[in-house]
Amino acid sequence: MDRRDLATSARRVLWIALVLWAASAVATTWREMTVTCPICQAKVTGSIPGSTFIPGVSPDFRPLGVGVDVTIQSFLMCPACGFAALPEQFGKTDGLNVEKVRNALAAAKPPTLFRKPDRAAIVLRNWTNNTRLLARLALGAKWLADDTGETAVIR
């Protein structure tokens, strides 16, 4: 094997490795979900990420090489009343004060962007107060703002 053949083989191996890496970075599967809103009893249908490949994270914990934020995209939002939560939270309503959450959602100013993370944060604050998930929502909203160039809308 001469140098030219070796260089060609090396380029092919590099090309194949690059294609495999790129394919794995966008290898997200989606699942259709239908749940019932605990606030207004409307049927909520949406797609959530089923699985994805995450090769690492950035210094601010953002998944690298992924076109979607799995946590933020996993939230479903009722189009009727604005209740937003993870699919499994639609079925578990222990400790949910329906009237308190309904009033908090009604009093919220409608954001022009990031409606789903905003509504999910309102629901979490008035229901479970899961600080870890609230922090994750804040990071996800920041990344969305960075991606859209709307960093001034983050409160």
Side-chain angles (χ1 to χ4, degrees):
M1 189 180 261
D2 67 3
R3 284 182 155 182
R4 198 173 359 188
D5 291 336
L6 191 58
T8 302
S9 295
R11 277 195 294 271
R12 283 185 186 147
V13 168
L14 183 61
W15 177 251
I16 290 169
L18 182 62
V19 167
L20 288 174
W21 176 80
S24 67
V26 294
T28 301
T29 59
W30 295 87
R31 291 186 299 150
E32 279 289 315
M33 296 284 298
T34 301
V35 292
T36 302
C37 176
I39 303 295
C40 67
Q41 305 308 313
K43 293 289 182 196
V44 179
T45 302
S47 295
I48 63 168
S51 65
T52 192
F53 172 78
I54 301 172
V57 295
S58 69
D60 69 346
F61 303 110
R62 184 176 189 168
L64 298 175
V66 180
V68 298
D69 181 347
V70 177
T71 303
I72 298 297
Q73 293 296 329
S74 293
F75 279 86
L76 296 175
M77 187 176 81
C78 176
C81 69
F83 180 85
L86 294 171
E88 60 269 14
Q89 291 174 312
F90 275 82
K92 296 179 184 177
T93 56
D94 299 340
L96 175 65
N97 183 334
V98 172
E99 201 57 40
K100 181 180 178 183
V101 172
R102 182 182 291 134
N103 291 338
L105 289 169
K109 295 178 184 174
T112 55
L113 295 171
F114 320 122
R115 182 180 165 108
K116 192 189 306 184
D118 278 352
R119 300 299 174 171
I122 291 168
V123 169
L124 285 171
R125 269 189 243 115
N126 287 282
W127 181 15
T128 65
N129 205 23
N130 182 336
T131 54
R132 183 177 180 175
L133 197 49
L134 281 167
R136 187 67 185 78
L137 275 169
L139 272 177
K142 179 222 180 278
W143 298 330
L144 286 171
D146 288 347
D147 290 349
T148 59
E150 297 289 340
T151 54
V153 301
I154 297 299
R155 300 179 223 132

